[in-house]
Amino acid sequence: MSLAMPQVTVRRQALAYLELTKPRIVSLVVLTGVPALLIAAHGFPPARVFFGTLLGTVLAAASAASFNMYFDHDIDALMRRTATRPLPAGVLLPSSALGLGFVLAGLAWMVLLLAGNLLAAVIGIASIFYYAVVYTVC
């Protein structure tokens, strides 16, 4: 078995990285996060907190999705519905998903810590761990 990657365009690779983050799921996470922010602030929080927390939430959800794709790439290759995802299709290496997951997790931590607080950052990292390990692996 060859580990050689099929020839893909830069555009296809960029789209593959985006696909690793599961943008549709991330948009649903953000959509549910807005009411939580408004309720917690008893109205509209300061713009820095509102937009920073949403950005941190996007980064955390995208990180969790990337880890999910990494852990499930072998199973995804067996199912017709998921066989064309970037890792089983050979567009990206599994290490790319793992690296992206860690980079996005680090960015989520920093953004949530700076825009929100320590609790927001800890919850963000805990949610990544829960989705990537407890939900996906267990």
Side-chain angles (χ1 to χ4, degrees), residues 19 72-73 75-89:
E19 189 178 344
D72 279 352
H73 76 275
I75 296 169
D76 286 345
L78 303 175
M79 295 184 286
R80 188 178 319 166
R81 179 181 67 83
T82 57
T84 60
R85 287 181 173 171
L87 301 183

Side-chain angles (χ1 to χ4, degrees), residues 6 21 35 37 41 50 71 76 79 85 103 107 120:
T21 67
L37 275 168
F50 182 78
F71 286 122
D76 286 345
M79 295 184 286
R85 287 181 173 171
V103 168
L107 291 171

Side-chain angles (χ1 to χ4, degrees), residues 33-79:
V34 170
L37 275 168
L38 298 176
I39 290 169
H42 304 290
F44 203 86
R48 179 188 64 80
V49 173
F50 182 78
F51 292 110
T53 303
L54 287 181
L55 175 60
T57 301
V58 165
L59 293 167
S63 169
S66 186
F67 285 127
N68 172 266
M69 290 269 210
Y70 170 78
F71 286 122
D72 279 352
H73 76 275
D74 55 340
I75 296 169
D76 286 345
L78 303 175
M79 295 184 286

Side-chain angles (χ1 to χ4, degrees), residues 125-137:
I125 296 301
S127 68
I128 294 168
F129 178 82
Y130 179 83
Y131 186 73
V133 176
V134 176
Y135 173 78
T136 302
V137 177

Side-chain angles (χ1 to χ4, degrees), residues 2-123:
S2 173
L3 293 177
M5 299 279 291
Q7 292 293 3
V8 295
T9 65
V10 171
R11 181 179 189 281
R12 176 63 183 113
Q13 281 190 319
L15 290 173
Y17 276 104
L18 179 63
E19 189 178 344
L20 286 178
T21 67
K22 298 185 179 183
R24 290 185 342 189
I25 292 173
V26 170
S27 66
L28 294 174
V29 170
V30 170
L31 188 65
T32 59
V34 170
L37 275 168
L38 298 176
I39 290 169
H42 304 290
F44 203 86
R48 179 188 64 80
V49 173
F50 182 78
F51 292 110
T53 303
L54 287 181
L55 175 60
T57 301
V58 165
L59 293 167
S63 169
S66 186
F67 285 127
N68 172 266
M69 290 269 210
Y70 170 78
F71 286 122
D72 279 352
H73 76 275
D74 55 340
I75 296 169
D76 286 345
L78 303 175
M79 295 184 286
R80 188 178 319 166
R81 179 181 67 83
T82 57
T84 60
R85 287 181 173 171
L87 301 183
V91 178
L92 296 173
L93 292 171
S95 60
S96 299
L98 196 59
L100 181 63
F102 280 115
V103 168
L104 292 173
L107 291 171
W109 172 265
M110 289 188 300
V111 169
L112 289 169
L113 190 61
L114 294 172
N117 55 35
L118 180 60
L119 179 60
V122 169
I123 290 172

